Amino acid sequence: MTVTAIGIYGSAGRMGRAIRSALEGTDARFAGGAEAGDDPLALATMADVLVDFSNAQGLDAHLAAAVQAGTPIVIGTTGLSVAQHAAIDEAARQIAVLQTGNTSLGVTLLSVLVREAAARLGPDWDIEIVEMHHRHKVDAPSGTALLLGEAAAAGRGSTLSELRVDERVGLVGARTEGTIGLAALRGGSVVGDHTVILATEGERIELGHYAQDRTIFARGAVKAALWLAGQPAGRYRMGDVLGL
């Protein structure tokens, strides 16, 4: 049996610790971890595949190390900039990169359902995305909300950057048809709740995912890493792991 060595950037964080625990009983072992200030290349050369759940500030160095070492990398860090997404595109020319706002298998399937619903329902169906996370989350809207927004926009043959509305404060006027609203709530210890609302005259559809434990993301990250380790250079998404 081949055992895959997984290196974790941000291994001391909540997700990093959860991923280490999720390795037990799988075809993977912990190759080592790295935090801010550590040499990212040292870890990249020891691992068969890397997982990054650190922070957006560390991504550039981690991505560069992965490319230099020729090591595939799963990026679960959120709050990335346009420039960082462009850097991921460039890195994917040389190594396998899977970037996602959420490694949950349930959320992955939900995004497919959202895209399908948006494609089949007309523009008179308004789309709103509401997410809630614990009080310590630093970015908003969440990476998962953006992932679901992109799925909805794709179903409408567009992009989220063209359709998104983030804030409604004061006399903003009537809702513009075809837009996708995003609302972020923060409080308590909520792991992650996401609801996509499709509403028209007289009826409403709600598609949701409610995370009760952080281990669901860890299990998905391990599954993604094991799958990515055998892939050629390219940019991948969680849907590819499930064949969606």
Side-chain angles (χ1 to χ4, degrees):
M1 180 182 69
T2 301
V3 177
T4 302
I6 296 180
I8 304 173
Y9 290 124
S11 60
R14 284 176 294 187
M15 271 303 301
R17 296 194 303 272
I19 292 170
R20 285 193 64 175
S21 296
L23 293 176
E24 298 179 11
T26 72
D27 295 336
R29 67 174 178 83
F30 180 54
E35 310 304 322
D38 294 336
D39 177 13
L41 183 58
L43 178 60
T45 57
M46 292 190 298
D48 297 320
V49 60
L50 297 160
V51 176
D52 189 351
F53 273 90
S54 56
N55 54 59
Q57 290 71 36
L59 176 66
D60 295 341
H62 300 161
L63 195 59
V67 170
Q68 187 174 342
T71 308
I73 183 169
V74 175
I75 300 171
T77 300
T78 58
L80 305 183
S81 66
V82 173
Q84 286 176 317
H85 279 286
I88 292 172
D89 288 335
E90 184 60 32
R93 298 177 184 272
Q94 303 176 66
I95 60 172
V97 183
L98 189 155
Q99 183 272 322
T100 180
N102 193 302
T103 53
S104 159
L105 302 182
V107 167
T108 301
L109 181 58
L110 174 61
S111 68
V112 175
L113 299 176
V114 169
R115 184 174 69 240
E116 183 72 6
R120 292 183 178 273
L121 299 174
D124 58 315
W125 284 77
D126 302 320
I127 300 177
E128 296 285 312
I129 300 172
V130 181
E131 56 99 342
M132 183 169 184
H133 284 80
H134 53 87
R135 61 168 65 100
H136 302 293
K137 187 169 178 60
V138 298
D139 59 310
S142 69
T144 303
L146 296 176
L147 181 154
L148 295 172
E150 289 288 5
R156 294 254 166 107
S158 186
T159 63
L160 184 59
S161 61
E162 295 176 341
L163 302 180
R164 67 185 284 178
V165 175
D166 287 278
E167 293 185 6
R168 297 190 181 97
V169 179
L171 299 174
V172 297
R175 191 184 196 283
T176 302
E177 184 178 90
T179 55
I180 297 174
L182 295 159
L185 310 179
R186 296 289 178 267
S189 58
V190 178
V191 174
D193 293 351
H194 293 85
T195 304
V196 179
I197 303 165
L198 300 100
T200 191
E201 293 294 331
E203 57 182 323
R204 182 174 74 247
I205 297 172
E206 294 186 6
L207 302 172
H209 180 272
Y210 309 98
Q212 298 176 332
D213 192 296
R214 195 166 275 103
T215 59
I216 66 170
F217 309 122
R219 291 197 302 269
V222 171
K223 185 178 181 70
L226 289 172
W227 179 87
L228 191 68
Q231 302 305 316
R235 182 163 182 168
Y236 300 94
R237 55 190 181 81
M238 281 299 295
D240 296 319
V241 179
L242 295 182
L244 298 173

